[in-house]
Amino acid sequence: SKPHGSMSNSDHKPQNLLGFSREELEGLADDLGHARFRGRQVYEGIYRRRATDFPSLTNLNLRFRAELADRFRITYPQIEREFVSTDRAVRYLLRLEDENAIETVYMPEEKRITLCLSSQVGCAVDCKFCFTALLGIKRNLTAGEIVGQVLAVAQAQQIPHRARLNLVFMGMGEPLLNLPAVMRAVNILADPNALGVPLRRITISTAGIVPKIHELAGDPMRPKLAVSLNASTDEQRNAIMPLNKKYPLKHLIDACRAFTLRPREYLTFEYVMLDGLNDADADARRVVGLLKGLRAKVNLIPYNGGPELPYRPSPLQRVLGFQEVLTSRNLPAYIRISRGQDVRAACGQLSLAGIED
Ligand code: SAH
């Protein structure tokens, strides 16, 4: 189990260790002639103790530390700018090593902290109401860049290891179109010897990549799943989410029905409320019909607008009326007032605003 990359030529730029799994670091220790458990100590040093250099890995002998420093480094995505909302949410603009940029959102709550993570640079899915879509897709993030978002923000905000963290893949990108790297990152994020965020506090949100929902369902290390429903008929959904033509509602809901839930686990459906478009009582009744028999809850998200897009948010009364139709039919529904709207950190607003100022 050789880690990626060559280990012998020190004329190469040192390789970033972020994203290496425990097994790979054990293999690395082995290759360098050390006991495998030394690799586990590197793993815990990087992800649990959040070391950013090798001298601070004081449980390793000097030779191993020197060998590591010669060949490797520990580099987080660089915080280029931070935009602090009046509601205390912070939108972080992070610079990657190839000069691409992504965003991560920090949302402190009373008893927990939620981090909203990106899975790709930009997005390929092209939902008509989402600002990230305007960027197009640049590339997938690596597992190291995904884990690095958490470590960079944890360092900046001095989040203690013990803090109650929630991680949601609801930033830029479609996580199910980068599933290998996302799951590789989740394995590190959820490992008690690494970042230690329980799987039940990690959520992957998808626009509805049906075959990948089936694939995720079979993964014992899968986090929770949220599905961006956003419409009550195929016609409506085709118009605002073109991927629905490839993966229509019936197939999407079938995949959700096949997604075996753990005890007390719910599937979450997100529904962006667009004025006059998908917010009628008849839509709400159709949503109830679609989700019948599923252990589901619905998050109603007021649309966050901007001059580039033609939509309007549903009036609050309409959101409340829609919610009432769902809850009165025993479908739990919550209104999710987006945080960080004043700094373009809210749902659907991540579009690298401010990158060139
Ligand atoms: N691509 C994944 C992850 C992004 S999650 C997905 O689609 O689920 C982003 C969430 O914000 C999605 O539920 C999406 O429906 C919602 N969203 C997108 N644009 C929005 C906007 N302008 N206002 C409010 N919510 C929006």
Side-chain angles (χ1 to χ4, degrees), residues 129-131 169-171 173-175 205-207 228 230 270 272 301-304 347-348:
F129 47 83
C130 178
F131 290 84
F169 285 88
M170 298 186 185
E174 168 50 52
S205 179
T206 181
S228 298
N230 296 339
E270 296 142 294
V272 182
I301 312 176
Y303 168 68
N304 299 303
C347 300

Side-chain angles (χ1 to χ4, degrees), residues 331-348:
L331 179 56
Y334 306 91
I335 300 174
R336 295 289 294 263
I337 303 297
S338 294
R339 297 185 61 179
Q341 292 178 59
D342 54 338
V343 293
R344 303 199 65 74
C347 300

Side-chain angles (χ1 to χ4, degrees), residues 221-255:
M221 277 297 287
R222 72 160 178 80
K224 294 202 299 181
L225 182 66
V227 176
S228 298
L229 183 62
N230 296 339
S232 70
T233 68
D234 277 318
E235 196 188 4
Q236 243 175 34
R237 202 163 187 267
N238 290 344
I240 55 174
M241 300 178 73
L243 100 159
N244 192 69
K245 293 174 201 157
K246 193 164 175 190
Y247 306 119
L249 277 174
K250 169 160 186 351
H251 294 165
L252 176 61
I253 301 300
D254 282 351

Side-chain angles (χ1 to χ4, degrees), residues 152-165:
V153 174
Q155 183 182 60
Q157 291 285 345
Q158 298 182 10
I159 301 173
H161 181 76
R162 296 241 148 266
R164 192 183 150 151
L165 264 193

Side-chain angles (χ1 to χ4, degrees), residues 200-212:
R200 66 175 185 284
R201 286 197 226 132
I202 305 177
T203 300
I204 292 180
S205 179
T206 181
I209 315 294
V210 167
K212 300 292 173 182

